[in-house]
Amino acid sequence: MSGISEQVSYLKGLAEGMKVTETQENGKLLLAIIDALGEVADTVAKLETAQKELDEYVEDMDEDLSEIEEILFGDEDEDDDEDEDDEDEEDDGLIEYDCPHCDTTIFFDEGAFSMEEDHLCPNCGKPVFGGDGEDGGDGEG
């Protein structure tokens, strides 16, 4: 932000060239404004330096995190595109079913799924599988 500092220096030089002094009626005000602008310029310069340091620090952290993700997860980003294409083929290990009572789509884990258990709809609370669903029939006993 050397532009602000240069402009403040120009204003100081201009005030000196005009022989503005604190004893003049408006001189004290003008000199105080120029001094305040100088402090603002210094503060902005410090903030800009701190922001650049923070940007570099965050960029370094992002690079480190990317390396850690690569170590932990490998090339999952490349696999994600394939997974999105395969979602329709049910290779994800999930069973998709619509509740016969409220039409809420429910997903069941294929590996942990058992028809011996009562599966209740999380939306309406009624049995998802079974006869009429009113008596809770086939899972008891």
Side-chain angles (χ1 to χ4, degrees), residues 49-65:
T49 301
Q51 183 65 41
K52 283 181 184 177
E53 290 174 5
L54 282 173
D55 287 344
E56 290 173 8
Y57 184 70
V58 169
E59 189 174 309
D60 290 343
M61 286 177 55
D62 185 47
E63 289 173 8
D64 292 344
L65 182 59

Side-chain angles (χ1 to χ4, degrees), residues 6-73:
E6 290 173 1
Q7 289 176 353
V8 171
S9 295
Y10 172 76
L11 291 174
K12 283 183 182 181
L14 191 60
E16 288 175 12
M18 294 175 63
K19 297 184 174 134
V20 175
T21 62
E22 290 187 10
T23 57
Q24 294 172 334
E25 185 176 322
N26 295 328
K28 190 172 188 175
L29 174 65
L30 290 174
L31 293 175
I33 290 172
I34 292 171
D35 287 341
L37 287 173
E39 290 179 25
V40 168
D42 291 342
T43 301
V44 168
K46 289 176 186 175
L47 287 172
E48 184 179 55
T49 301
Q51 183 65 41
K52 283 181 184 177
E53 290 174 5
L54 282 173
D55 287 344
E56 290 173 8
Y57 184 70
V58 169
E59 189 174 309
D60 290 343
M61 286 177 55
D62 185 47
E63 289 173 8
D64 292 344
L65 182 59
S66 294
E67 290 175 17
I68 291 170
E69 287 175 341
E70 180 68 30
I71 291 168
L72 290 176
F73 304 113

Side-chain angles (χ1 to χ4, degrees), residues 105-126:
T105 301
I106 306 164
F107 294 93
F108 298 99
D109 182 3
E110 185 175 12
F113 185 80
S114 170
M115 284 300 290
E116 298 298 318
E117 298 177 21
D118 289 332
H119 298 283
L120 302 178
C121 174
N123 188 42
C124 68
K126 294 181 180 178

